[in-house]
Amino acid sequence: MNRLQRRARHAMRSAPRRSMGSGMVSTLEGESGRSGTPGGPDDVGAHPPDRRRPLTQVAVAIACALLGFLLVAQVRASESVGERLAAEREEDLAVVLADVTEQSDRLQAEITDLRLLLFEFESTAESEELAFRNLQKRLDDLRILAGVVPAENEGVVLQVADPGRQVTHEDLVDIVHEMRNAGAEAIAVNGQRLVASSAFSTRNARLVLDGQPLEEPYRVAAVGPSEKLITSGLSIPGGALDRLGSYSDVTTSVEELEHVTIPARGEPVPFVYGEPVPADADSG
Amino acid sequence: MIPLIALVVGAVLGLVLQPAVPPFLAPYLPVAVVAALDAVFGGVRARLDGTFSDRRFLISFLTNVVLAVFLVFLGDQLGVGSELSTAVVVVLGVRIFSNLAAVRRHLFRA
């Protein structure tokens, strides 16, 4: 069968279809015959069915597979919420909308509540951190006061050379008090830390601090505002330095230092009798 | 036979892979599927007519899908997307129906 014969046959076949004319179905058939369906008269002859190229056969197979794939995808997609909603009636949709709006309001309120809660927690955490820092600072202060940790900063060092053993323990108490009065925060005498319970005494004509004999020369070191320790502490008129100066062979020297380190007390002082008053007792 | 097998393979692939339709494609996928169906039924009819051509089928398949999607897209841009997609589906549906009627005539000679 050659090309011309084919053409002729197709012309004959399609002629009556066109002439049928007025009916709607037949018009549409004509439409699909021309654009939708393959095999229009003018191109069939190019590739007769029995000599199809494998490449286009593969392409046809791919197109069919694509259709199957898309079909399934679309069927699955139309099972989703949005597609189902599109099929609902208006009254049903109104009900659904009301439900969803209510749910949205509720969730919005929940968001607000949770945000408030979060804010509360955050501020609590902040104030707790502040309280923790305050407590830490207080703990540090108390440790320095109790002498359980070394303390360091600017301060003064007072050297008292007393070969004739003329200095009394009252003189040392005066020196320490004047320093504390001027703002000394940590004091050591001959490397021995002074704490709240420290006491000077005299035993066998030798000065003793907390049971430890003190060797001459005495070295009193203090951490505190160094300038103030001297001007309004040690060297006030009629103060300890004046009195030490009145002894015949006592020599003193005061050093103002950028950095003084006061050692910790070897062992903390055990408290036997003192018991803390419960916190709620003094407030009520 | 091969196209039928390919169709089944594609469907199985879709079932196995469970593809998620991207939101921007959601309005166009139904028309694309209907257009492809139209092309395939047209192909079946042409096969029975003895006038089937691979090239023709492929071109018809692609242009059908692209044109249908383009029409709906155009409708979306003009604000009559749902109406135009209905129109496309109706036209394609009528064509599918007439193609099937032709197939029926071939198979049952009636």
Side-chain angles (χ1 to χ4, degrees):
Chain A
M1 187 188 300
N2 68 25
R3 198 169 166 158
L4 275 174
Q5 278 173 321
R6 257 181 191 277
R7 268 175 198 269
R9 208 189 71 179
H10 277 285
M12 279 173 69
R13 189 183 274 179
S14 50
R17 203 190 295 156
R18 282 203 204 103
S19 64
M20 258 158 63
S22 60
M24 187 186 176
V25 172
S26 64
T27 313
L28 282 160
E29 269 184 57
E31 280 287 318
S32 58
R34 249 176 279 148
S35 66
T37 44
D42 39 61
D43 110 309
V44 168
H47 306 287
D50 49 349
R51 279 197 282 121
R52 272 175 282 171
R53 290 176 300 183
L55 194 66
T56 53
Q57 236 174 339
V58 168
V60 168
I62 288 175
C64 286
L66 188 67
L67 172 64
F69 188 78
L70 291 180
L71 204 62
V72 170
Q74 173 58 25
V75 168
R76 293 191 58 85
S78 63
E79 283 166 1
S80 65
V81 184
E83 297 287 332
R84 269 211 314 278
L85 278 182
E88 297 263 5
R89 286 200 316 269
E90 252 177 63
E91 309 89 80
D92 297 341
L93 285 178
V95 174
V96 170
L97 179 64
D99 279 355
V100 171
T101 311
E102 193 190 331
Q103 198 179 357
S104 155
D105 286 351
R106 216 171 46 235
L107 290 176
Q108 205 69 45
E110 203 178 321
I111 289 175
T112 314
D113 285 352
L114 289 175
R115 284 226 176 100
L116 276 177
L117 202 62
L118 179 68
F119 182 72
E120 210 172 286
F121 280 148
E122 274 174 352
S123 55
T124 308
E126 251 170 52
S127 62
E128 268 175 8
E129 201 189 320
L130 197 69
F132 176 75
R133 248 184 275 146
N134 284 341
L135 281 177
Q136 188 68 46
K137 171 78 178 126
R138 199 168 151 72
L139 181 64
D140 287 346
D141 290 353
L142 289 175
R143 273 182 177 148
I144 289 173
L145 193 63
V148 295
V149 291
E152 58 175 13
N153 209 332
E154 61 171 289
V156 296
V157 171
L158 167 65
Q159 298 267 10
V160 181
D162 178 27
R165 302 205 179 280
Q166 293 171 311
V167 176
T168 64
H169 64 261
E170 286 95 345
D171 294 325
L172 287 181
V173 169
D174 278 352
I175 291 168
V176 168
H177 277 185
E178 276 164 15
M179 280 178 161
R180 280 191 173 151
N181 197 34
E185 291 172 357
I187 301 173
V189 178
N190 285 6
Q192 202 176 336
R193 180 76 168 264
L194 291 190
V195 293
S197 56
S198 292
F200 292 103
S201 56
T202 308
R203 192 188 300 159
N204 300 332
R206 301 190 66 171
L207 294 180
V208 172
L209 168 59
D210 293 343
Q212 299 284 324
L214 291 173
E215 297 300 329
E216 185 275 338
Y218 314 113
R219 182 176 184 276
V220 184
V223 163
S226 48
E227 200 186 324
K228 202 177 156 207
L229 285 180
I230 295 169
T231 54
S232 63
L234 292 173
S235 32
I236 48 170
L241 283 187
D242 273 4
R243 209 160 77 224
L244 289 177
S246 68
Y247 294 132
S248 53
D249 54 354
V250 170
T251 51
T252 62
S253 71
V254 180
E255 259 184 300
E256 191 180 331
L257 293 175
E258 284 289 303
H259 192 261
V260 178
T261 302
I262 308 294
R265 192 183 173 82
E267 280 174 29
V269 186
F271 287 90
V272 178
Y273 295 99
E275 278 184 15
V277 178
D280 50 348
D282 56 8
S283 68
Chain B
M1 198 62 199
I2 293 174
L4 192 67
I5 293 170
L7 187 72
V8 172
V9 167
V12 169
L13 261 180
L15 283 174
V16 171
L17 295 180
Q18 306 211 338
V21 181
F24 69 93
L25 273 184
Y28 307 121
L29 190 56
V31 256
V33 168
V34 172
L37 272 178
D38 171 56
V40 166
F41 284 123
V44 170
R45 178 193 173 176
R47 182 67 177 271
L48 292 173
D49 280 342
T51 59
F52 184 78
S53 141
D54 289 338
R55 193 176 134 255
R56 185 76 170 180
F57 170 74
L58 285 176
I59 291 175
S60 132
F61 187 95
L62 287 179
T63 50
N64 252 16
V65 170
V66 170
L67 255 170
V69 168
F70 174 72
L71 266 181
V72 175
F73 171 77
L74 201 66
D76 270 344
Q77 301 306 305
L78 295 175
V80 290
S82 60
E83 289 85 348
L84 208 49
S85 86
T86 306
V88 168
V89 168
V90 164
V91 168
L92 291 174
V94 170
R95 279 172 48 162
I96 289 171
F97 193 83
S98 67
N99 279 334
L100 283 178
V103 169
R104 182 207 67 208
R105 278 200 292 275
H106 271 289
L107 292 183
F108 303 113
R109 317 248 171 253

